[in-house]
Amino acid sequence: MSGTNLGVLPLTVTAVVFAATYHFVKRASSAVTTTKDAGQVIAAAVGIPLVMTIISLAIVKDASTVLKIDTPNVLQSFGWTILIHAVAAASALRKPLWKDLAEQRHLPEWLTFSAAASRVSAITMLGLGSAVTVMLLAVSWSDAADQLFAYNGIGAAIGLGVLSVMYLANVVVGVIATSVGVTITVGEGSVSVFANEPAAGPSIPVLTALPSTEPELWWLLLLIIPATAGVVTGKSIAARGLKTRELYSAIAAAAVMQAVAFFVIALAAGGAFGVFGAISLAPLLGALALLAWVLCIGSATAGLSLWLREHRERKERRGDVERAIAEALAEEAEQKAKTTAEASSEKDAQAEKEDKPGKKSKAEAAEEAKVVESSEKAPAAKDTDGQDAEEVSSGGKAEATAAEPKRGRIVALTRKLPTVPFDVPSIPGAVAKIPSKVKSGITGAGKKSPTESEPSDK
């Protein structure tokens, strides 16, 4: 029992455990359809590591009777185990779990957008923090190499290298905490973007990233990290097309989620650090500072995005209206030109008719020729008919004139004939029995001229 405590959780190992739990639960998420199924999977994901933690505590307790070590805090051990694995399992089951939970609790949809924006923002901050950490290690690479090979033997170098990798994530979180504007403490020293008090620390190569000089002006560039997180959050939520009230509510929820996550991670990254004292990343102040950064920058970004979107929509609507007006004017002009052309053609045709009345079309000329020809044929037909009628009437008159003397001679002869005293059975026999005087008289009377017979009739 030397009284030296080591309570700083190596976050790189913690991240690996978190990723492993997330991966195994994600593979089983396809069979999860209800909240009950999700609860059972989460319980299994937490129960197995919890049992292993209990076994480890029992082993340490047993070894403390022989070695100079003390049993870790049981509540803290159980708490961190449950928290890490439960969060990993819940993250892997967020879709089926959140769907049923939202339906049962009638939670607003924008909370889902807040969670997604918080995840993207956290990844952004981790990436930027890691880039800054690598840059700081590159600048102080000579000091890190000296500490890595300060002890004789390859085993010491390997051990220090592995220890540096295990606490590399702690340094990244420390850079993020410094970027939000708070002061972190490492033993008796402190670091911030505005002030720096270097102090003696453990000879771990990864800790050479801590500045050992007075603050420089370029350190203020670290403030870009939380500002970028706010911009990412605002743009991610603004892209969802929410209304104004829901938009700012989602941003506030996302800011709270990120602040809580930072508080938990910063709390895990600090603690007792042996004879050098304690490491504190100011979890509470850092969480409040990050909340302010994300809330302010995110709201401004979302407001600007909303204004730009409305401006773009207004511009598009104005463009649509202008195009519609232009099309209507073009159509009207085309119709007007068409009407003008038709009127002009009609006017030209009318003028042509008035200027050249003698010129007629072939059809009209042919029709007039037919009319003239038919009118010429009609009088000729009439003349022919008249001549035929005159010829007929004159022929009838001549025949009547020729028949009149014959009729007179027959009448005269009838008067001269005596009454026949006998029966005439037949005309041939009667003629044979007529006396000769009568026959001669008939013959002589037939030879007289018409002029001679007319006085006798009279």
Side-chain angles (χ1 to χ4, degrees), residues 108-114 233-234 236-251 302 306 309-310 313:
E109 186 181 7
W110 50 262
L111 281 177
T112 306
F113 304 150
S114 299
T233 302
S236 178
I237 295 177
R240 303 292 184 171
L242 299 174
K243 296 180 180 179
T244 305
R245 183 177 179 180
E246 295 177 348
L247 177 68
Y248 291 109
S249 299
I251 292 173
L306 185 62
R309 185 178 65 188
E310 292 177 354
E313 291 177 354

Side-chain angles (χ1 to χ4, degrees), residues 67-350:
L67 301 175
K68 294 182 179 181
I69 56 174
D70 195 4
T71 305
N73 191 307
V74 177
L75 293 179
Q76 288 184 359
S77 301
F78 288 168
W80 285 116
T81 302
I82 294 172
L83 180 63
I84 293 169
H85 293 280
V87 172
S91 299
L93 299 175
R94 63 181 180 275
K95 290 185 178 180
L97 180 63
W98 179 259
K99 184 178 180 180
D100 289 346
L101 188 62
E103 291 178 356
Q104 293 175 3
R105 303 296 181 182
H106 304 287
L107 298 176
E109 186 181 7
W110 50 262
L111 281 177
T112 306
F113 304 150
S114 299
S118 299
R119 184 170 61 253
V120 176
S121 178
I123 294 173
T124 303
M125 284 193 293
L126 287 174
L128 293 175
S130 301
V132 172
T133 302
V134 171
M135 184 184 66
L136 293 175
L137 288 174
V139 170
S140 60
W141 172 249
S142 60
D143 296 337
D146 292 341
Q147 291 187 7
L148 186 63
F149 299 102
Y151 302 96
N152 296 328
I154 190 67
I158 294 174
L160 287 174
V162 172
L163 189 63
S164 297
V165 172
M166 292 172 61
Y167 285 97
L168 180 62
N170 298 62
V171 178
V172 173
V173 176
V175 170
I176 295 174
T178 304
S179 67
V180 299
V182 298
T183 301
I184 63 173
T185 58
V186 181
E188 296 180 357
S190 62
V191 180
S192 71
V193 294
F194 307 106
N196 182 31
E197 294 182 5
S203 299
I204 301 177
V206 73
L207 293 181
T208 57
L210 297 175
S212 58
T213 61
E214 294 296 326
E216 298 182 12
L217 188 61
W218 68 268
W219 288 12
L220 296 176
L221 295 177
L222 294 176
L223 299 176
I224 295 175
I225 296 176
T228 304
V231 171
V232 170
T233 302
K235 289 194 67 175
S236 178
I237 295 177
R240 303 292 184 171
L242 299 174
K243 296 180 180 179
T244 305
R245 183 177 179 180
E246 295 177 348
L247 177 68
Y248 291 109
S249 299
I251 292 173
V256 171
M257 292 178 185
Q258 295 177 54
V260 171
F262 177 83
F263 176 81
V264 174
I265 294 173
L267 188 63
F273 204 59
V275 296
F276 299 99
I279 294 178
S280 175
L281 302 184
L284 183 59
L285 292 177
L288 294 176
L290 182 60
L291 175 66
W293 275 100
V294 175
L295 190 60
C296 295
I297 302 298
S299 298
T301 303
L304 181 61
S305 300
L306 185 62
W307 181 83
L308 290 175
R309 185 178 65 188
E310 292 177 354
H311 179 70
R312 184 169 58 252
E313 291 177 354
R314 285 197 300 268
K315 190 175 181 180
E316 291 177 357
R317 288 196 298 268
R318 189 183 300 112
D320 294 340
V321 172
E322 290 177 356
R323 282 193 296 271
I325 293 174
E327 291 176 359
L329 291 175
E331 186 177 355
E332 184 179 358
E334 184 180 356
Q335 188 67 23
K336 193 173 182 180
K338 187 177 180 182
T339 305
T340 304
E342 292 178 355
S344 178
S345 62
E346 291 179 0
K347 197 172 183 180
D348 294 342
Q350 187 69 21

